[in-house]
Amino acid sequence: MQSHEFTEVVQQCVPEWATGCAAGDFTLTRFTEATTNSVWRCCGPRGITAMVRVYGKKSEVMIDRTTELTVTRFLGECDIVPRIFGKFTNGVVSGYAPGAALSAVDLATHCERIAKHMARMHKLDISAYLGKPRSHIWKLMKRWLAEVPATLNTAVQAMPALHNLNMYQIPLEVEFITETLNRPDLYPVVLCHNDVQPLNIIFDANSGQITFVDMEYSFYNHFEFDIANHFCEYGGLTRSGAHPSEEMQRKFISHYLTEMTGVPPTEKEVEVTRKDVLKFELVSDLLWGIWGLAEAKLGADEVTHFGYVDYTVKRFIEYDTRKRAAFPDQRSAPLYRMHEA
């Protein structure tokens, strides 16, 4: 989008900017860290700042934009996320969350704030808009996997990182993990963010408040997934190998359960939840590994921009490692064959 197009869009979406504003009244700043969309901060007259998100190429294949808008509008009314001003053809304009996005090294520092904010979101009842709670994560994995043919396009195939990837094992692992963990009777289903990674957590040092942003993948899911996925994000987008210590895991879960129930949990309750959460780290690794392959297939020209394939390889290696630890008696081929040249 050109600058004049941004001006037209924000003036159409933000009521206070509808009249009496000129193109020169707006200042645009692009956030370069975004991996799927183009995200811009727009500072305008009357003390208002907005966020403009321009949807990425073919992103509608991976993301249900209708559900995203429904969830975001609902959460905006609940003050969990900034409210939406309006939608345009290939994007959305929303309020701006003051503060700065966290980095992976900040997550431990803000453990209590993140845990409590996550719990406040999980307690919300959105059934009037989304219907009865049923986890969508299992169907989502299969839908994304359908975007990844057994043989990827030539540009991606040429990448050395893919040579040891066991493509035919991926659907088998999806079936295994679905059969093992798709148990709403054991793992309660709530409204989850599903992508509580550092760039989607805004901390305002002035107010001391945490805000979640970017609800693209938000929907019903097992609450353990949201926590597990967050723990996996201690490694950041570069997959540094960092992971919260057992002490930090217990601290996060204790804050979370206290906010959920209003009563501090027992050590046993924390430990039971922690062990369940660790199982769902497998789901996180598998889901986002498949996501990386699908994104690479949908836009091979963008592979070198973010490194989708390298990201996938790291997530699948993490999956293999966690699976061996969590299910030592389960024999299967690895997703990534480390021993081959």
Side-chain angles (χ1 to χ4, degrees), residues 52-118:
V52 182
R53 179 176 280 105
V54 182
Y55 299 148
K57 175 185 176 183
K58 297 182 181 178
S59 61
E60 71 282 353
V61 175
M62 303 291 287
I63 297 164
D64 184 337
R65 295 297 184 189
T66 301
T67 298
E68 176 195 3
L69 285 173
T70 298
V71 173
T72 306
R73 287 193 171 109
F74 172 78
L75 293 176
E77 294 296 322
C78 299
D79 293 324
I80 297 292
V81 302
R83 298 192 182 198
I84 290 179
F85 284 125
K87 185 184 181 304
F88 55 99
T89 305
N90 63 325
V92 64
V93 180
S94 64
Y96 172 72
L102 299 184
S103 65
V105 296
D106 297 322
L107 296 181
T109 301
H110 298 287
C111 163
E112 180 176 356
R113 293 185 177 95
I114 297 168
K116 289 182 175 179
H117 197 67
M118 181 184 289

Side-chain angles (χ1 to χ4, degrees), residues 242-261:
H243 190 265
S245 65
E246 289 188 10
E247 179 184 1
M248 182 58 63
Q249 294 168 28
R250 293 188 182 98
K251 181 180 178 182
F252 185 101
I253 291 169
S254 180
H255 288 310
Y256 172 87
L257 292 176
T258 300
E259 181 67 27
M260 284 292 289
T261 66

Side-chain angles (χ1 to χ4, degrees), residues 198-226:
L199 294 178
N200 290 337
I201 307 170
I202 308 299
F203 174 63
D204 181 5
N206 293 323
S207 66
Q209 297 296 309
I210 285 285
T211 303
F212 291 164
V213 296
D214 196 349
M215 313 308 293
E216 290 183 322
Y217 305 105
S218 183
F219 203 75
Y220 289 134
N221 201 351
H222 307 278
F223 83 83
E224 294 90 347
F225 176 89
D226 234 6

